[in-house]
Amino acid sequence: MSAFCAGVRVQGSRPLGSTGLTRRARSGLSHRRRSSLRCCLPEESSAVLEVVIRAAEDAASHMMNRVGAEVEKTKINSRDLLTEVDPECQEIIEKHMRSEFPDHGILGEETTPSGRENSVNALERALKEEWLWIVDPIDGTTNFVHSQPMSAVSIGVTYKGELVLGVIVDPYRSETFAAMKGQGTTLNGEPVTVSNEQTAEEALVAAGSPTATDSLHAVIRGLAVMMPEVRSMRMLGSAAVMYGWVACGRLTAYWEPDLHSWDSAAGAILVTEAGGRITDLHGNDYTVRTRSLLASNLWTHEPLRALLLRAEVHNL
Amino acid sequence: MDVKDFDSGELSEMLAFVSDLASSAGQIIADAIRAKKLVTNKSQRDFVTDTDEKCEVIILDALKEKYPTHKFIGEEETAKAGVLPDLTDEPTWFCDPLDGTTNFVHGFPFVCVSIGLTLKKQPVLGVVHSPILEETFTAAKGLGALRNGSRISTSGETQMMRSLVITELGPDRSPSTLDTWMGRYRSVAERCRSMRGIGSCAIGMASVACGRADAMYEVGFGGPWDCVAGAALVTEAGGCVFDPSGKPFSVMCRRVACSASPALEWALAEALAPNSSNPSEPEYFAL
């Protein structure tokens, strides 16, 4: 067992101190500690995280300078947009990766043919890589095109198929979210945790604004079932931002009927490392293959998941 | 007796005064959102916080002292009286010291101070100050609309299929209101590019004014203080403000829609028409 792995398991070395945390967040941390005992993070994980943060921040600066870019073309339908800036941001990230870790693989939205089936197949092929960066260079392209300052760079990294770290950079609010397995989640270097709502009635829940027609109808079904039961609903148009805001407690939960791996990889680890939970709609723990999902502050997970099942949001 | 219009000098002076007040209130909000908040229940889903009350005191005391002959219509007084006062032609201030109280209690950044002024029952001035997002939107009749001091305008979008549309769920959760809300949502979502919901009527309208969204609609929000400033912003930014039924905007109804262009107004009203009202929502009435 490497010194790094031993460090991950030592209680005192955690970035999140035990004082000031709620009982619930500590419980979430205990759950993660047990998980981290079963995983062994490779030694270079910290070095990878540093490069991923640099790459994401670099791409995010470029994105912010180009906000309001013209739509180049549409993908699966007229709602699914692509600008020239999306591949530019992906290229910036790839350059960082190739320069520091030339043996790593990348799965990026901009180099994957559009559509659900292509996405699933590309992920299966890519997961053969030992280290894999799963990248959405501009998450929230519709917002980006409309000069709505709500898009982010999202990079999740797997090692032998398991998510080990994630970074989301929101340049409009200068916020960098980062998480590494067993190390907690930080926002601009400060530890953050999910929020404290205990019940669906207290929950502020975010939903997606999907482009695919069947997903849109699934969201409508989900909204209809959720709205009477939760405090309120929000739709921001960027999965990465919504995941980040669940992780730092601004949102209680966020759900989607169908997301690509690059939409969720970073967000999933941010949420779990912040004491939250992310599962498919049957309650199975998230893997990078999960497409229908619910991310929450842990306490509201089961009541919200029950509502989504009732609405049959998962049947895609 | 005819109520006199304000000249541009008077409007500029009022705008500067109100912007300062909004900024002071915004500082209280920003400080509180980073600290623990004391919340008291008003109803199941609408919360009054002590920050809300502090901000209201700051804004109203200063406005009443500076403009003693003006009228004031606000949330707390209306709640105490149990009924909305009538709107006259007199200059009337509509203040929401903290628009987005649900967002506030969750630390969700879309909170703002919204201060608007009507004259002859029409919005003529508005300030929407969003302290966490560090944005201040201002507008006065004939003086245009600004964001952080720079001129803004709507996107000018005419096509629903290319539009980003914002809508919100108000405090009412009765089954008939939720059904109507879902009907509207479905109808608009199927026709537009994408839907958004941020939880602040004023910021939603400011988003249309500065071109980040192309249209917005909401029925059954807390009170007219939520939309007067936004209406001034959108109008001065070159957009349209109207009732979701397609009728002319009426300040006191607690119903509002706005769009980047007249063509989009028409398209949105058409999309909303099959679900234009239900008995448990506020009714349209002309002033």
Side-chain angles (χ1 to χ4, degrees):
Chain A
M1 198 69 75
S2 74
F4 180 82
C5 285
V8 163
R9 286 181 289 143
V10 168
Q11 309 224 350
S13 69
R14 301 188 67 85
L16 290 164
S18 60
T19 55
L21 287 181
T22 63
R23 174 182 57 83
R24 289 173 285 282
R26 282 197 288 276
S27 164
L29 288 172
S30 302
H31 175 75
R32 289 204 309 283
R33 284 176 189 142
R34 289 193 294 278
S35 304
S36 76
L37 288 173
R38 291 192 289 274
C39 106
C40 178
L41 275 180
E43 269 188 59
E44 60 266 53
S45 299
S46 290
V48 175
L49 179 63
E50 266 184 49
V51 174
V52 169
I53 289 175
R54 268 207 309 276
E57 288 180 344
D58 208 1
S61 293
H62 179 72
M63 174 177 84
M64 197 159 95
N65 293 335
R66 297 292 308 275
V67 70
E70 292 289 309
V71 176
E72 273 238 315
K73 62 177 191 154
T74 58
K75 299 193 284 183
I76 58 163
N77 61 28
S78 63
R79 291 191 174 95
D80 195 9
L81 308 179
L82 177 71
T83 71
E84 62 186 5
V85 187
D86 300 65
E88 284 168 10
C89 288
Q90 182 161 322
E91 180 54 30
I92 289 171
I93 293 163
E94 285 195 48
K95 268 203 179 105
H96 278 271
M97 188 192 81
R98 277 186 250 116
S99 120
E100 303 294 331
F101 301 106
D103 54 333
H104 287 193
I106 187 163
L107 175 69
E109 179 168 25
E110 303 321 319
T111 39
T112 305
S114 50
R116 192 173 289 149
E117 207 183 310
N118 287 326
S119 166
V120 168
N121 293 338
L123 176 65
E124 287 312 312
R125 286 192 299 273
L127 282 172
K128 296 179 168 65
E129 303 275 1
E130 187 181 52
W131 283 96
L132 177 67
W133 293 33
I134 303 177
V135 176
D136 192 346
I138 301 182
D139 180 69
T141 299
T142 301
N143 285 343
F144 180 71
V145 162
H146 284 262
S147 304
Q148 173 81 250
M150 186 66 68
S151 46
V153 177
S154 177
I155 304 176
V157 178
T158 60
Y159 176 74
K160 295 183 178 171
E162 297 291 317
L163 252 184
V164 296
L165 61 92
V167 172
I168 286 173
V169 177
D170 168 0
Y172 304 104
R173 280 153 288 276
S174 303
E175 293 187 328
T176 295
F177 297 85
M180 196 153 64
K181 199 158 185 179
Q183 297 278 296
T185 298
T186 58
L187 166 51
N188 292 347
E190 296 298 316
V192 288
T193 59
V194 292
S195 61
N196 295 333
E197 292 80 44
Q198 295 281 284
T199 63
E201 199 185 28
E202 299 167 283
L204 185 63
V205 182
S209 313
T211 53
T213 309
D214 56 357
S215 298
L216 175 61
H217 290 146
V219 166
I220 288 171
R221 289 196 298 277
L223 288 178
V225 167
M226 278 225 164
M227 271 185 344
E229 312 291 340
V230 303
R231 177 170 283 161
S232 203
M233 306 280 313
R234 299 287 177 263
M235 283 132 336
L236 296 181
S238 166
V241 171
M242 288 186 277
Y243 278 123
W245 290 14
V246 171
C248 71
R250 293 171 191 162
L251 284 166
T252 314
Y254 163 51
W255 59 275
E256 287 265 12
D258 187 57
L259 286 181
H260 300 293
S261 56
W262 47 77
D263 293 320
S264 298
I269 193 165
L270 289 186
V271 169
T272 42
E273 286 298 318
R277 184 140 195 254
I278 178 168
T279 67
D280 69 13
L281 298 176
H282 297 286
N284 302 307
D285 281 342
Y286 173 86
T287 74
V288 291
R289 294 177 175 85
T290 305
R291 297 183 65 93
S292 295
L293 40 76
L294 168 66
S296 76
N297 72 341
L298 182 66
W299 301 100
T300 56
H301 203 85
E302 286 308 293
L304 294 177
R305 192 174 69 78
L307 292 172
L308 293 172
L309 277 180
R310 203 202 307 163
E312 296 184 5
V313 165
H314 56 293
N315 285 345
L316 290 177
Chain B
M1 187 185 79
D2 251 350
V3 171
K4 191 172 133 322
D5 282 333
F6 293 118
D7 64 41
S8 58
E10 287 169 313
L11 286 172
S12 290
E13 205 215 318
M14 282 194 282
L15 205 50
F17 183 73
V18 168
S19 298
D20 277 345
L21 290 182
S23 177
S24 302
Q27 193 54 59
I28 293 177
I29 292 170
D31 291 343
I33 212 168
R34 288 169 198 133
K36 201 168 165 147
K37 299 162 285 286
L38 180 69
V39 177
T40 61
N41 258 350
K42 189 161 76 171
S43 69
Q44 194 186 10
R45 282 182 176 84
D46 210 2
F47 294 86
V48 172
T49 65
D50 66 347
T51 304
D52 188 329
E53 287 159 0
K54 274 187 194 128
C55 291
E56 185 167 59
V57 162
I58 283 179
I59 295 167
L60 286 187
D61 282 0
L63 281 176
K64 284 174 179 171
E65 189 188 327
K66 182 121 169 125
Y67 306 112
T69 60
H70 292 185
K71 303 280 182 275
F72 294 82
I73 295 183
E75 185 164 16
E76 292 318 302
E77 306 128 320
T78 303
K80 283 175 196 147
V83 69
L84 267 178
D86 288 333
L87 180 62
T88 66
D89 286 345
E90 299 287 316
T92 307
W93 292 95
F94 290 82
C95 302
D96 193 348
L98 179 53
D99 181 45
T101 44
T102 299
N103 289 347
F104 178 71
V105 303
H106 284 265
F108 188 84
F110 290 85
V111 297
C112 70
V113 181
S114 174
I115 305 174
L117 176 70
T118 60
L119 185 73
K120 301 179 190 171
K121 305 183 181 120
Q122 295 297 320
V124 293
L125 180 150
V127 172
V128 173
H129 172 61
S130 172
I132 307 302
L133 301 173
E134 294 177 346
E135 292 187 306
T136 304
F137 298 87
T138 58
K141 191 167 180 178
L143 301 181
L146 307 175
R147 172 194 163 271
N148 292 353
S150 299
R151 202 71 185 238
I152 54 172
S153 61
T154 67
S155 66
E157 183 56 66
T158 56
Q159 305 284 321
M160 187 62 121
M161 201 52 214
R162 294 164 51 91
S163 292
L164 208 58
V165 181
I166 297 177
T167 192
E168 310 298 342
L169 181 59
D172 182 18
R173 295 291 192 281
S174 63
S176 62
T177 292
L178 288 179
D179 268 346
T180 306
W181 192 93
M182 281 309 315
R184 289 185 191 122
Y185 189 93
R186 186 177 293 116
S187 177
V188 177
E190 283 171 353
R191 289 165 168 77
C192 75
R193 177 173 273 167
S194 202
M195 302 290 287
R196 297 286 178 269
I198 56 173
S200 162
C201 182
I203 297 179
M205 296 185 82
S207 301
V208 174
C210 72
R212 292 173 185 165
D214 305 293
M216 171 271 182
Y217 68 93
E218 189 176 349
V219 176
F221 45 86
W225 41 83
D226 290 327
C227 71
V228 169
L233 289 177
V234 173
T235 304
E236 284 300 308
C240 307
V241 182
F242 51 102
D243 185 84
S245 64
K247 300 190 176 91
F249 174 58
S250 181
V251 168
M252 302 293 278
C253 295
R254 299 166 52 218
R255 305 160 51 97
V256 75
C258 59
S259 67
S261 69
L264 202 56
E265 169 180 350
W266 187 90
L268 180 58
E270 204 205 7
L272 295 173
N275 295 280
S276 58
S277 69
N278 89 71
S280 51
E281 284 183 324
E283 248 185 355
Y284 178 80
F285 57 93
L287 287 172

